[in-house]
Amino acid sequence: MTEEFAGQFGPASEAIKQYVDILASRGGEWGLLGPREGDRLWDRHILNSVALSPLVPEGATVVDVGSGAGLPGIALALYRPDLRVTLLESLLRRTEFLELAVAELGLAERVEVARGRAEEHRVRYQVVTARAVAPLERLVGWCTPLLSPGGVLVALKGASASAELAAAAGSLRRDRLTGVVRELPVPGTPDVTWAVEIRRQGDSQPVS
Ligand SMILES: C[S@@+](CC[C@H](N)C(=O)[O-])C[C@H]1O[C@@H](n2cnc3c(N)ncnc32)[C@H](O)[C@@H]1O
């Protein structure tokens, strides 16, 4: 399956295989991935991450909040060579892992690693992504200040997307934000996953 999965990445198919090797080896050694994740890297992590690609406008600036070992940020950057991506991560050890991976994958020209907490970061982006970082309501508080006008927060939530959106409804209304659940095909698999898109009210059109 590896070749078939990697083929989803077109010209970056060798680079994504290299990234999977980095995750399986150094990611495990540095304690960034659980011992059982090795077999599930492609479908559960890599392809699930790039499922959000249709929600990211062409040429957008993206910040991946709580990037961890680079998901979805590094996978998305390899899948979408048109994007400039910042990997924002609060833990030093993880930013060290990310810096090594970015250099080894030859991504340094358009992928930057930033150490810090989302709620203290002061740069704005057209797209904020987040996967497995915090419940939606908390994520919205941290991440919507990072959005440039017309920007979108894309929270990959899987099966909990609708329930998290419902739980956050009050604070979204209060902060004049709108939220929509998007069902997304997982490339190269028969699966789907779900993300929540959050925008400021009145910002119906994404900026590309
Ligand atoms: C469970 S991991 C998920 C990592 C990755 N997104 C993934 O899907 O595999 C959550 C990550 O978010 C980082 N994190 C938690 N709160 C954060 C914050 N406020 N700002 C930036 N990073 C944060 C943690 O250090 C950790 O690396």
Side-chain angles (χ1 to χ4, degrees), residues 7-202:
Q8 299 295 320
F9 286 72
S13 63
E14 289 306 314
I16 193 70
K17 283 195 271 182
Q18 189 185 348
Y19 177 49
V20 168
D21 288 343
I22 292 171
L23 287 175
S25 53
R26 194 184 304 140
E29 287 152 26
W30 289 30
L32 271 66
L33 284 182
R36 287 199 305 275
E37 297 308 307
D39 294 340
R40 307 193 279 199
L41 283 174
W42 280 108
D43 53 348
R44 191 183 161 121
H45 294 289
I46 303 291
L47 297 165
N48 176 275
S49 287
V50 299
L52 60 72
S53 174
L55 305 182
V56 180
E58 177 79 19
T61 55
V62 179
V63 62
D64 182 29
V65 165
S67 195
L71 296 165
I74 290 181
L76 184 66
L78 289 171
Y79 195 69
R80 291 279 304 274
D82 57 299
L83 304 176
R84 298 191 73 81
V85 178
T86 298
L87 309 171
L88 179 62
E89 170 54 53
S90 54
L91 293 182
L92 175 63
R93 184 83 169 146
R94 294 178 184 208
T95 59
E96 289 171 347
F97 177 94
L98 291 169
E99 275 162 5
L100 263 180
V102 165
E104 289 168 1
L105 295 167
L107 286 171
E109 268 185 22
R110 59 187 183 86
V111 178
E112 179 192 355
V113 178
R115 182 170 174 221
R117 298 190 62 80
E119 53 274 45
E120 291 160 7
H121 196 64
R122 291 290 168 261
V123 185
R124 290 177 174 231
Y125 304 85
Q126 289 164 320
V127 178
V128 181
T129 60
R131 174 185 186 259
V133 178
L136 185 66
E137 196 166 1
R138 203 179 315 152
L139 208 53
V140 164
W142 293 349
C143 294
T144 50
L146 302 180
L147 292 176
S148 56
V152 61
L153 163 62
V154 179
L156 255 182
K157 286 292 182 183
S160 71
S162 295
E164 292 205 38
L165 181 57
S171 39
L172 293 185
R173 250 193 318 275
R174 187 195 62 219
D175 294 341
R176 302 182 57 76
L177 299 164
T178 57
V180 180
V181 173
R182 302 279 186 209
E183 184 176 275
L184 300 163
V186 178
T189 80
D191 303 332
V192 293
T193 190
W194 294 269
V196 183
E197 258 190 346
I198 305 282
R199 298 178 190 279
R200 295 195 186 88
Q201 279 176 20

